[in-house]
Amino acid sequence: MIPSIAIADYNYPLPDDRIAKYPLPQRDASKLLLYGDGCVSESVFSHLPDFIPSCALMIFNDTKVVPARLHFVRESGAHIEIFCLEPIEPAEYATAFAATSSCTWKCVIGNAKRWKNDVLHLYNPDSNQEVKDMDLRASLIERDGQTGKVRFEWDGGQPFSAVLDTAGTVPIPPYLNRESEAIDSERYQTLYARWRGSVAAPTAGLHFTDDVLSRLREKGVETETVCLHVGAGTFLPVKSQQVEDHPMHREPFTVTRSLIEKLINREGRITVAVGTTSVRTLESLYYLGVSCIESGAPEDVPQWAPYTREWKYSTEEALKALAAYMDKNGLEQILSGTRIIIVPGFRWRIVDLMVTNFHQPESTLLLLVSSFVNGDWHRIYDYALSNGFRFLSYGDSSLLKRPE
């Protein structure tokens, strides 16, 4: 049954001065809250390897943030901001980024009412010659409120990834209340980011340094990656009074056959997810496996799938079915999508420890944390607020242990 949850029960006071507007000079200098067995304490993120068991499997999201915010101008002088969300034609991220003359994306459109049906040209106040030569144009194919389907065309034969690097800015979260700056190009990106596609960083990973990663591996911690491209839905507050009325946006993810095998054979091993995006990917795998059992192929995970029926298969059965499907079809990795929402009442199957930042009041991510710690989120957030922790994307971190 879909849980009935009032979002007002997940509110807490967050003064603006507790929101970290900029990253610390050193990534791993952030504070680290530790929660386990009902106890809260603190350390520094550079000491994270001390708290991860040597037998652990640690999983990172290696998605890469793209400079997806573009500024255009109409002949009338009106400015239109276009924020690329996901590719439509070509529909696959890698192919869309490789396009050399045109592509179509689903976009959020700022100042949308001012854009009629005219072709927009990229705003170029400094008369940058590279921007002139590229001559990026945008045409509105269709509109749906503040979002729309936008076709981009440009000259010069550069791939669209290079076009964005030249023309776009990093889409930092709106709650920072500032424009993107040069520092964001480096620091709103994890060190291990690899696959372009996110419009928001998996921020739990922003604290990791080469030193922390090497000490984890020296300790014997095995590392793996998933890739979930974070959508703009991560910025959207829950506007409905009841969580069941809040729609989750689809986010595409990729997992490898080797990771599935390690999860199947993880008996006695702690699984550590770095960030809520890794959590949502890993916990979605069970439902992909069940769809392999019941319909012969993996299917996108619906928002409320975990709550709408009794799931009779074990985690091992589901993962083995997913692995068998991949083997049968010669797949080293599988691409799917999830709308899964993790709220109190969710049955956890894979993740034992989670590294995560501190999330906005009345957000789906706070609901996820509450589910993970069996409702004990107030204790964690009260401690953080009382002990000088910095909040949200550029804020401090926590290592949470799921109760048995």
Side-chain angles (χ1 to χ4, degrees):
M1 187 173 71
I2 295 176
S4 181
I5 297 172
I7 193 61
D9 292 340
Y10 293 85
N11 199 359
Y12 69 90
L14 180 59
D16 185 66
D17 63 2
R18 301 303 296 277
I19 299 173
K21 300 298 194 296
Y22 292 91
L24 294 175
Q26 178 67 20
R27 286 179 185 261
D28 60 7
S30 55
K31 290 160 72 84
L32 177 68
L33 181 144
L34 303 166
Y35 173 87
D37 303 319
C39 299
V40 183
S41 58
E42 67 177 272
S43 183
V44 180
F45 196 87
S46 58
H47 295 164
L48 176 71
D50 298 338
F51 307 106
I52 304 296
S54 58
C55 62
L57 173 63
M58 196 170 208
I59 295 142
F60 299 81
N61 182 5
D62 61 1
T63 186
K64 191 171 188 177
V65 180
V66 295
R69 197 183 298 274
L70 299 161
H71 294 86
F72 289 83
V73 63
R74 298 186 63 203
E75 286 189 7
S76 66
H79 286 249
I80 309 292
E81 182 181 277
I82 299 178
F83 184 5
C84 297
L85 292 182
E86 60 183 273
I88 296 174
E89 187 181 340
E92 206 276 319
Y93 278 86
T95 311
F97 287 126
T100 56
S101 60
S102 66
C103 56
T104 302
W105 285 65
K106 179 182 178 182
C107 301
V108 174
I109 303 168
N111 210 9
K113 292 180 180 178
R114 303 287 298 275
W115 190 9
K116 308 305 178 185
N117 293 317
D118 50 324
V119 176
L120 304 182
H121 290 263
L122 190 70
Y123 183 51
N124 187 19
D126 300 324
S127 297
N128 181 289
Q129 190 60 47
E130 189 176 2
V131 171
K132 278 185 178 180
D133 293 341
M134 183 172 60
D135 189 22
L136 180 63
R137 289 95 63 195
S139 304
L140 185 62
I141 308 300
E142 61 182 55
R143 188 198 315 267
D144 181 15
Q146 292 299 305
T147 64
K149 185 186 294 187
V150 177
R151 180 174 177 81
F152 297 103
E153 298 176 281
W154 63 95
D155 299 334
Q158 298 180 76
F160 191 58
S161 58
V163 170
L164 289 178
D165 287 341
T166 299
T169 56
V170 175
I172 58 173
Y175 49 69
L176 295 184
N177 291 319
R178 63 175 177 82
E179 292 298 317
S180 297
E181 299 179 24
I183 191 174
D184 300 308
S185 297
E186 176 194 356
R187 294 298 301 277
Y188 196 61
Q189 195 81 268
T190 63
L191 288 183
Y192 48 82
R194 185 178 180 190
W195 304 108
R196 294 171 178 266
S198 281
V199 299
T203 55
L206 297 180
H207 307 277
F208 284 84
T209 60
D210 289 332
D211 178 63
V212 170
L213 290 168
S214 65
R215 284 193 288 119
L216 284 165
R217 291 172 184 136
E218 287 167 6
K219 188 175 182 178
V221 174
E222 191 168 7
T223 59
E224 272 280 356
T225 60
V226 295
C227 183
L228 180 140
H229 291 318
V230 189
T234 193
F235 295 145
L236 297 180
V238 179
K239 294 182 178 179
S240 53
Q241 293 184 345
Q242 295 296 121
V243 174
E244 59 259 43
D245 297 323
H246 176 73
M248 293 288 283
H249 290 71
R250 178 186 187 273
E251 291 174 313
F253 68 85
T254 305
V255 292
T256 63
R257 178 64 179 81
S258 65
L259 173 58
I260 301 296
E261 190 64 33
K262 289 173 184 176
L263 293 174
I264 291 170
N265 298 310
R266 72 190 188 101
E267 187 174 348
R269 173 188 262 188
I270 297 294
T271 303
V272 187
V274 177
T276 56
T277 58
S278 297
V279 167
R280 293 177 66 245
T281 302
L282 292 169
E283 294 293 334
S284 292
L285 296 179
Y286 173 81
Y287 304 95
L288 289 194
V290 171
S291 63
C292 288
I293 295 171
E294 296 185 342
S295 62
E299 299 171 354
D300 276 11
V301 182
Q303 176 169 338
W304 294 107
Y307 316 92
T308 53
R309 56 173 274 197
E310 290 293 323
W311 296 90
K312 61 184 179 181
Y313 308 100
S314 69
T315 303
E316 184 179 2
E317 285 176 309
L319 292 175
K320 283 184 174 178
L322 182 56
Y325 172 85
M326 295 176 75
D327 292 344
K328 180 181 176 181
N329 291 276
L331 300 175
E332 288 301 316
Q333 60 181 24
I334 196 160
L335 173 64
S336 191
T338 187
R339 287 185 169 85
I340 196 171
I341 185 169
I342 297 178
V343 300
F346 180 80
R347 180 181 172 186
W348 291 87
R349 299 177 184 274
I350 293 177
V351 181
D352 303 303
L353 288 173
M354 171 170 56
V355 178
T356 188
N357 286 12
F358 296 93
H359 305 291
Q360 289 179 284
E362 299 188 343
S363 65
T364 58
L365 299 182
L366 185 56
L367 288 163
L368 183 153
V369 168
S370 178
S371 173
F372 192 76
V373 298
N374 202 21
D376 205 17
W377 70 272
H378 275 295
R379 185 198 306 263
I380 294 166
Y381 277 64
D382 287 347
Y383 183 98
L385 286 165
S386 301
N387 288 274
F389 279 72
R390 302 156 67 250
F391 279 64
L392 307 187
S393 292
Y394 276 142
D396 293 318
S397 186
S398 66
L399 175 64
L400 310 179
K401 179 185 177 183
R402 182 165 60 86
E404 296 294 335

